[in-house]
Amino acid sequence: MSSERLNLAVIVGSVREGRFGPVVANWFAAQAERHGEFAVDVIDLADVDLPLELPAVPPAMEPELARPSGMGELTRRLKAADAVVVVTPDYNRSFPASLKAAIDWHYTEWQAKPVGFVGYSGASGGLLAIEQLRQVFNELHAHTVRDYVSFPRYYLLFSPDGTLLQPEEPEGAAKAMLDQLVWWGSVLRDARRDRPYGAGR
């Protein structure tokens, strides 16, 4: 494996008013920075033009399709990522429409890359959203790592300044997931450099 740091995209999946996602994402980004093997890029979907109307020809058939001008930076940053972590709440036992739109507007940007999850919600801690996202990313030829970070009743766990009241267990979960992302991210990055994903020998 290369000793070069991995480009890690941390995606804030919720765009709703009053969302808690940036607090969770900033906490996780700090964990990833502390881990030492990642160059971290926090991507907030609230800053992206994400129309729900998809093009007639899907990205799976036309990877270089013309996207809205406000989406260009998102596409560039996703393409540059060696690994991805999605920060998501549960919305009605699923994940936000904003996140689905960001996923569906892209295809090759996800391929042969590891994806991890940080969930938060009132009861399940985002696990309902995470389980559905695993199916979606597997369809896109991404590899979802087993471990995850979950914050049930997140509003009781964080102080007003965004720090955790009892950080030991979440920090341990974050490190376990980040370790998996390092292994898979390094192996898959080197493999993509050796031969583009899907290309014949």
Side-chain angles (χ1 to χ4, degrees):
M1 293 186 196
S2 170
S3 61
E4 178 186 351
R5 289 202 301 170
L6 293 169
N7 293 322
L8 175 65
V10 178
I11 300 175
V12 185
S14 173
V15 301
R16 76 185 301 172
E17 183 178 354
R19 68 212 166 112
F20 197 75
V23 175
V24 180
N26 289 336
W27 171 84
F28 182 78
Q31 303 306 305
E33 292 281 5
R34 189 170 72 178
H35 190 278
E37 298 196 54
F38 299 96
V40 182
D41 180 19
V42 177
I43 300 174
D44 191 341
L45 295 185
D47 298 331
V48 181
D49 178 16
L50 279 175
L52 298 181
E53 301 85 0
L54 295 172
V57 179
M61 298 179 65
E62 181 53 63
E64 301 301 325
L65 59 83
R67 297 182 174 90
S69 59
M71 198 182 296
E73 183 69 5
L74 171 64
T75 301
R76 184 194 66 76
R77 292 161 77 179
L78 293 178
K79 186 173 183 178
D82 299 307
V84 176
V85 168
V86 176
V87 178
T88 182
D90 282 341
Y91 284 1
N92 299 320
R93 304 182 67 85
S94 186
F95 54 91
S98 52
L99 186 52
K100 188 63 163 64
I103 294 170
D104 288 346
W105 269 103
H106 299 89
Y107 186 70
T108 56
E109 289 77 11
W110 310 116
Q111 287 184 338
K113 296 179 181 180
V115 180
F117 303 100
V118 179
Y120 64 97
S121 69
S124 80
L127 296 186
L128 298 171
I130 289 171
E131 286 308 305
Q132 294 187 23
L133 283 165
R134 289 188 188 280
Q135 298 179 56
V136 173
F137 277 109
N138 288 341
E139 178 67 17
L140 296 167
H141 301 264
H143 173 76
T144 60
V145 298
R146 182 209 177 275
D147 283 26
Y148 56 86
V149 184
S150 175
F151 293 106
R153 295 180 175 83
Y154 62 89
Y155 41 82
L156 301 177
L157 305 178
F158 287 83
S159 65
D161 66 359
T163 58
L164 280 169
L165 299 175
Q166 296 182 339
E168 293 80 8
E169 186 174 343
E171 287 180 357
K175 183 181 185 306
M177 184 175 73
L178 288 163
D179 287 346
Q180 293 173 17
L181 288 169
V182 166
W183 195 92
W184 283 104
S186 298
V187 168
L188 291 173
R189 178 188 61 191
D190 292 347
R192 291 194 312 274
R193 288 175 174 175
D194 181 58
R195 185 173 75 245
Y197 181 77
R201 293 185 179 275

